[in-house]
Amino acid sequence: MAGGGPAPGERVIEGIAAAPGLALGPAWVYRPPDLTVPPPAGPVDPQAETARWEAARRQVRERLDRLAARAREQAGEDEAAIFAAHQLLVDDPELDGQVRQAIAGGSTAEAAVARATEDFARMLEQLDDEYLRGRAADIRDVGRQLLAALLGASLDLTPDEPSVIVAHDLAPSDTARWPREKVLGLVTEAGGATSHVAILARGAGVPAVAGAAGAMAAVRPGQPVVVDGTAGRVVLDPSPQRRQAVEQALAEQARRARTLAALRDLPAVTPDGRRVELAVNIGRPEDIAAAEPFGPEGVGLFRTEFLFLDRSEPPGEEEQWQAYVAAVRALGGRRLVLRTLDVGADKRLPFINWPEEMNPALGWRGARLGLERPDLLQAQLRAALRAAAEGPVSVMFPMVTTLEEVRRLRQAVQEAAASLEREGIAHGPVEVGIMIEVPAAALAARTLAGAVDFFSIGTNDLTQYTLAVDRTSRQVAGLYDPLHPAVLRLILEVGRAAEEAGIWAGVCGELGGEPLAAPFLLGAGMTELSMHARALPEVKQVIRAVRYADARLLAEELVTLPDGDAVRRRLRAFLAGVGVEPAH
């Protein structure tokens, strides 16, 4: 395919594998518009400039709404959340204050925005925290959009035909605004595998290579380009032989996609009769319609935070009920697993008085917050119970560690139901479960299992806490491995505890959508896997090919291996033995 040494006439540019897959097409070289701030044409009217600033913020908010909707449709809720974070930056009171102060001092709105956003970005770049340093790029993206609104410049250049987009760097707002059918692949000189652009590309299924030094100088508009996002390689002017190989690989991808599509309406049942429910993770009710082409059997994670973000006060019970019941109705009898408010750490709401914490990832978040803010928890539980009058709803609580927390949370559900009963408001029963994200909860799973109806394993945080790795930190991100045997041992412990207690257990973290991990999760006793919609067909293919009895033996073997690489090798060999090869 795109591998091997260059043939005569070819040029190969090595980069970073940012999003897997192959692409072949003409290059479209993207150069952003010039947003140089002009000097003032005359005396500055602070009142008029302030009005222009406010109008620009409104315009950018509306643009971010459109970008979020497109990202949600093309990639998913995690990707759309990038633009929710950008909206918070547009409304940031510190940024607003700096711009207004500069305008009052005689600056134009453009000059004030340029200075404030750059100062803000540089300040973040000086911090020790890797996550906050990464937000500097978000600040500059938002500043660029604000400047374009003030200058009347268009940021909406789009290829005329399906193309490989080549750029020095791309902001999330660039990547999300292009129609998916116009983007064959992405090549950038800057960035890496953990950038927001890489996240958006992976979610949308667009091959991408980052860190391709010299690409802008080397590529001509319209030049044939091969993008190998799996190997991190770009080939300019591919030879006829390479083009043929890539075209054959793309045809094989298309054939594979047709094979997977044929599984849409078939159940995820192993050859020896074990049934696994394959569900989808969503962040808004409308995500269900976008997931339907992939055949979800329910929603295994409804992130409810979207109702609480970008506002100065919490949503009321009625607004929450409308969102939850819309999801229930869209599912038409399939189960909705609703996660209660999960904020804290990097998601902080302005209407909550947050404590100063040295390590907020281990602090006041998830169910810990809910138990201390019964006003928020009761409104959410009442809305969920009311939605359950129209279809199956399960409620799960995040960041739970102890049996006492579980008891208090179940009591909160009972109090919400009792209050609705007293008021004569229709409501239905709900399953009550907890997310297993904390190693202590996994180790105590046999104790906790008697107090809940189900477990749902959040493998992202479970991995982070088990391995003591902040996966947003470039220095230690290489240690983050959800297939580490220590993590797998905890998952196996949870699965076996659920089986003994007669409750169901599932996975809603990223590992649930990883086809390579599916045999282990099956063998560990998981009866539900929830994931990004695009992952459903391939995971279903694996489940339908693997005997449950064999998967149980495999799971017991994998936890004894020395490291994650050994686990991957064994899983690949196991899948090869049943005739399945994951795409990436």
Side-chain angles (χ1 to χ4, degrees), residues 344-425:
D346 62 328
K347 294 195 291 279
R348 299 205 163 196
L349 304 176
F351 49 81
I352 293 175
N353 185 22
W354 296 98
E356 287 293 327
E357 295 179 310
M358 291 294 292
N359 194 342
L362 301 179
W364 197 45
R365 55 176 295 202
R368 301 169 179 179
L369 168 63
L371 287 170
E372 293 192 34
R373 285 293 304 267
D375 56 325
L376 297 176
L377 184 59
Q378 283 297 307
Q380 187 160 38
L381 292 176
R382 281 170 57 95
L385 287 160
R386 289 172 59 191
E390 299 199 25
V393 173
S394 302
V395 172
M396 69 177 176
F397 296 98
M399 198 65 179
V400 173
T401 307
T402 68
L403 182 60
E404 177 59 24
E405 287 175 324
V406 174
R407 289 172 175 160
R408 291 175 64 193
L409 291 165
R410 288 207 78 121
Q411 180 63 32
V413 175
Q414 293 167 6
E415 290 172 2
S419 68
L420 291 169
E421 188 71 30
R422 286 193 302 270
E423 296 168 27
I425 298 175

Side-chain angles (χ1 to χ4, degrees), residues 20 133 505 565:
R133 285 205 305 273
D565 288 340

Side-chain angles (χ1 to χ4, degrees), residues 66 72 85 135 144 164 210 268 303 364 378 384 387 422 494 562:
R66 294 193 298 272
R72 191 173 296 112
R135 296 300 298 276
R144 193 175 65 113
V164 171
R303 304 179 184 92
W364 197 45
Q378 283 297 307
R422 286 193 302 270
V494 173

Side-chain angles (χ1 to χ4, degrees), residues 22-40:
L22 273 176
L24 168 62
W28 186 74
V29 180
Y30 174 64
R31 290 183 172 84
D34 181 11
L35 297 177
T36 302
V37 176

Side-chain angles (χ1 to χ4, degrees), residues 143-509:
R144 193 175 65 113
Q145 294 180 72
L146 289 166
L147 278 175
L150 287 164
L151 294 168
S154 174
L155 295 176
D156 295 330
L157 297 171
T158 302
D160 294 327
E161 60 178 334
S163 302
V164 171
I165 295 175
V166 181
H168 170 69
D169 198 6
L170 291 172
S173 60
D174 293 321
T175 312
R177 67 183 168 79
W178 288 313
R180 174 63 184 86
E181 63 273 13
K182 293 291 183 71
V183 183
L184 298 175
L186 297 174
V187 177
T188 61
E189 294 181 320
T194 60
S195 68
H196 279 164
V197 171
I199 293 169
L200 286 164
R202 287 194 293 270
V206 175
V209 173
M216 289 292 284
V219 176
R220 306 182 310 275
Q223 183 176 19
V225 176
V226 170
V227 179
D228 186 341
T230 305
R233 183 177 298 117
V234 180
V235 182
L236 311 183
D237 293 319
S239 67
Q241 293 81 6
R242 192 184 298 268
R243 289 179 69 110
Q244 182 179 16
V246 171
E247 287 166 354
Q248 288 175 348
L250 292 173
E252 173 60 22
Q253 283 183 15
R255 184 203 62 78
R256 180 182 177 83
R258 289 192 297 271
T259 300
L260 293 175
L263 300 176
R264 182 195 181 282
D265 297 321
L266 298 178
V269 180
T270 68
D272 50 352
R274 176 76 165 186
R275 176 72 183 259
V276 179
E277 179 181 315
L278 298 186
V280 66
N281 297 339
I282 68 168
R284 296 172 185 263
E286 51 266 36
D287 292 344
I288 296 170
E292 292 293 9
F294 302 96
E297 298 178 89
V299 168
L301 171 62
F302 183 3
R303 304 179 184 92
T304 58
E305 290 75 42
F306 83 98
L307 286 162
F308 294 81
L309 298 172
D310 304 325
R311 57 196 304 160
S312 58
E313 58 185 27
E317 175 187 326
E318 192 69 18
E319 181 181 351
Q320 293 188 62
W321 171 76
Q322 289 174 359
Y324 305 156
V325 81
V328 169
R329 291 168 180 167
L331 286 168
R334 292 168 290 177
R335 177 168 55 193
L336 172 71
V337 180
L338 182 153
R339 182 180 69 187
T340 59
L341 181 64
D342 190 14
V343 292
D346 62 328
K347 294 195 291 279
R348 299 205 163 196
L349 304 176
F351 49 81
I352 293 175
N353 185 22
W354 296 98
E356 287 293 327
E357 295 179 310
M358 291 294 292
N359 194 342
L362 301 179
W364 197 45
R365 55 176 295 202
R368 301 169 179 179
L369 168 63
L371 287 170
E372 293 192 34
R373 285 293 304 267
D375 56 325
L376 297 176
L377 184 59
Q378 283 297 307
Q380 187 160 38
L381 292 176
R382 281 170 57 95
L385 287 160
R386 289 172 59 191
E390 299 199 25
V393 173
S394 302
V395 172
M396 69 177 176
F397 296 98
M399 198 65 179
V400 173
T401 307
T402 68
L403 182 60
E404 177 59 24
E405 287 175 324
V406 174
R407 289 172 175 160
R408 291 175 64 193
L409 291 165
R410 288 207 78 121
Q411 180 63 32
V413 175
Q414 293 167 6
E415 290 172 2
S419 68
L420 291 169
E421 188 71 30
R422 286 193 302 270
E423 296 168 27
I425 298 175
H427 60 285
V430 297
E431 286 186 310
V432 176
I434 60 172
M435 291 189 69
I436 302 291
E437 304 168 279
V438 181
L443 293 169
R446 284 176 168 79
T447 300
L448 298 174
V452 298
D453 300 316
F454 67 94
F455 292 138
S456 186
I457 303 176
T459 53
N460 301 0
D461 273 345
L462 182 63
T463 301
Q464 180 168 255
Y465 294 142
T466 301
L467 302 180
V469 171
D470 178 358
R471 63 177 181 157
T472 68
S473 170
R474 188 175 293 111
Q475 282 73 22
V476 298
L479 297 173
Y480 179 89
D481 185 359
L483 289 176
H484 190 289
V487 179
L488 300 189
R489 189 176 292 276
L490 292 177
I491 295 172
L492 183 62
E493 177 72 15
V494 173
R496 298 293 184 256
E499 288 176 343
E500 292 173 12
I503 65 175
W504 66 268
V507 172
C508 63

